[in-house]
Amino acid sequence: MTTETLTTADPAGSGTPEALLSVRDLGMTFPGPRGTLRRKAGVRAVDGVTFDVRPGETLGLVGESGCGKSTTGRMLVRLLDPTAGQVSFRGKDITRSSQHELRPLRSRFQMIFQDPFASLNPRQTVQQIISAPLRAQGESKAKIQSEVRDLVQLVGLAPEHLERYPHQFSGGQAQRIGIARALATRPELVIADEPVSALDVSIQAQIVGLMERLQRELGVAYVFIAHDLAVVKHISHRVAVMYLGRIVEIGEKQQVYDNPAHPYTKALLSAVPLPDPIAERTRERIVLLGDPPSPANPPSGCTFHPRCPKAQDICKTEAPLLTIGRSATADRQVACHFPEA
Ligand code: SF4
């Protein structure tokens, strides 16, 4: 199957010159279920994903569970090897770099995980956890000690926490430890994979606020992965919406939230609570029918068509290209035959 995504910003190259991270036609096909005809053809979990991340910005990557956003995130830092496409960091193609070749770059891009406890070694103290990336870089003992003390304070923990173990912390505090570890080498890019979805709502806001402050202070860029558009609203500069392995809409945050062009984005946004109680009571809520289809058996044409309130005959046979919408700017791309005007 050929990719049907148009890369209007940079059709053939390895990214715009100012991009920190350039992703072009990225794809991941997993082996299909054993004993089925799909075994050999495989399951396309990510297909034709294209975007750039600029220095110091946040790209929100949003979609329902199973849409391929976490697989995409893992490919960006090469925790998974893509089966198609290209990832470039600061203009260097890292898609097929060996782990040895990646080593000098590892300190410049890091990852934060959804479950902070699962990602922290329970037998190590906070001091050991946060200092691990600095030890790997061969920093001196004195430098590591002073950096680690700075880092715990930067993320809102106290120096006395350094001798404690992960189980002695709440979920929010454990995620602060994960953030401190990710920032230890002062990376330029952090991929945050659902960093707040395992936390209470009140704690979510604190962690998002902390990440915003750290971005202002350190200039780090984020790819912030979430299943909820409400979570990424404040922190994102741009937003990409994924459905069944593909980006269906990408653009500046304000454009996407104020005027969603893809019916799926519109439906997701209609479920985000509004602060104004009158607007909240009178708004149109779009309820999508059914669950997202399995990537092992995707619908023909536009894969959203079985759930789309605007679907017409062409949608069942022809996959729409990700291209500039009728009323959109070059930064706004939509994959729909009938985008909202
Ligand atoms: S292409 Fe058709 S089915 Fe797909 S989102 Fe647009 S209107 Fe809906």
Side-chain angles (χ1 to χ4, degrees):
M1 191 166 118
T2 55
T3 178
E4 288 139 327
T5 305
L6 274 189
T7 56
T8 53
D10 176 31
S14 59
T16 46
E18 72 277 13
L20 180 63
L21 183 80
S22 293
V23 181
R24 292 292 175 272
D25 285 337
L26 196 65
M28 170 57 83
T29 303
F30 292 114
R34 276 177 205 281
T36 68
L37 290 175
R38 277 259 150 210
R39 181 67 185 167
K40 210 166 167 196
V43 174
R44 201 172 291 262
V46 175
D47 187 12
V49 164
T50 291
F51 58 79
D52 283 344
V53 181
R54 300 163 195 149
E57 78 163 354
T58 300
L59 175 74
L61 191 57
V62 181
E64 287 163 289
S65 143
C67 73
K69 55 193 190 304
S70 290
T71 301
T72 300
R74 283 166 185 265
M75 287 193 284
L76 301 182
V77 291
R78 290 285 314 281
L79 287 179
L80 276 176
D81 291 336
T83 53
Q86 184 180 335
V87 179
S88 301
F89 183 77
R90 286 272 183 213
K92 178 178 166 50
D93 182 356
I94 60 165
T95 327
R96 323 255 171 259
S97 300
S98 66
Q99 290 304 323
H100 178 72
E101 289 166 328
L102 280 176
R103 199 170 297 156
L105 284 176
R106 280 265 173 238
S107 60
R108 296 169 67 187
F109 49 79
Q110 296 285 336
M111 189 140 186
I112 299 171
F113 298 92
Q114 175 176 357
D115 181 348
F117 290 110
S119 68
L120 303 176
N121 186 335
R123 283 183 291 277
Q124 288 189 335
T125 62
V126 174
Q127 164 86 33
Q128 290 170 315
I129 290 168
I130 299 178
S131 63
L134 296 166
R135 287 199 308 273
Q137 277 192 326
E139 299 291 356
S140 70
K141 213 171 166 186
K143 171 137 195 232
I144 290 174
Q145 276 204 329
S146 91
E147 286 281 312
V148 170
R149 286 182 86 82
D150 285 351
L151 280 160
V152 282
Q153 286 175 13
L154 197 63
V155 299
L157 295 172
E160 57 263 32
H161 289 136
L162 284 171
E163 295 314 315
R164 297 188 193 162
Y165 290 86
H167 73 269
Q168 295 175 283
F169 293 92
S170 66
Q173 287 173 319
Q175 195 55 292
R176 287 173 192 265
I177 298 167
I179 292 170
R181 177 180 59 184
L183 294 175
T185 55
R186 302 289 192 243
E188 293 170 89
L189 174 70
V190 169
I191 311 298
D193 185 10
E194 301 258 16
V196 298
S197 52
L199 306 175
D200 290 347
V201 174
S202 58
I203 308 296
Q204 287 185 359
Q206 289 175 17
I207 297 295
V208 171
L210 170 68
M211 290 181 66
E212 280 181 301
R213 176 171 64 75
L214 294 171
Q215 183 172 62
R216 282 195 303 276
E217 291 177 12
L218 307 175
V220 59
Y222 298 130
V223 175
F224 195 110
I225 298 170
H227 58 267
D228 186 344
L229 271 161
V231 168
V232 298
K233 183 167 186 183
H234 292 291
I235 197 168
S236 299
H237 300 98
R238 290 185 303 129
V239 176
V241 179
M242 284 186 77
Y243 187 79
L244 217 64
R246 295 182 181 195
I247 290 180
V248 295
E249 178 159 9
I250 182 167
E252 297 294 330
K253 170 178 72 178
Q254 221 54 51
Q255 289 181 328
V256 173
Y257 280 80
D258 291 351
N259 292 300
H262 195 282
Y264 179 58
T265 315
K266 216 174 158 194
L268 289 183
L269 276 172
S270 81
V272 172
L274 297 174
D276 176 354
I278 296 174
E280 172 65 21
R281 267 202 308 277
T282 53
R283 73 187 327 195
E284 179 197 3
R285 193 158 270 128
I286 304 165
V287 180
L288 292 177
L289 301 171
D291 295 322
S294 161
N297 191 18
S300 60
C302 172
T303 55
F304 186 55
H305 85 255
R307 305 173 77 196
C308 180
K310 289 184 73 181
Q312 299 189 29
D313 283 348
I314 187 178
C315 306
K316 296 178 189 162
T317 53
E318 280 186 36
L321 304 173
L322 182 67
T323 189
I324 299 171
R326 280 197 286 266
S327 64
T329 65
D331 251 2
R332 173 76 165 281
Q333 293 173 275
V334 185
C336 178
H337 294 304
F338 307 103
E340 298 290 328

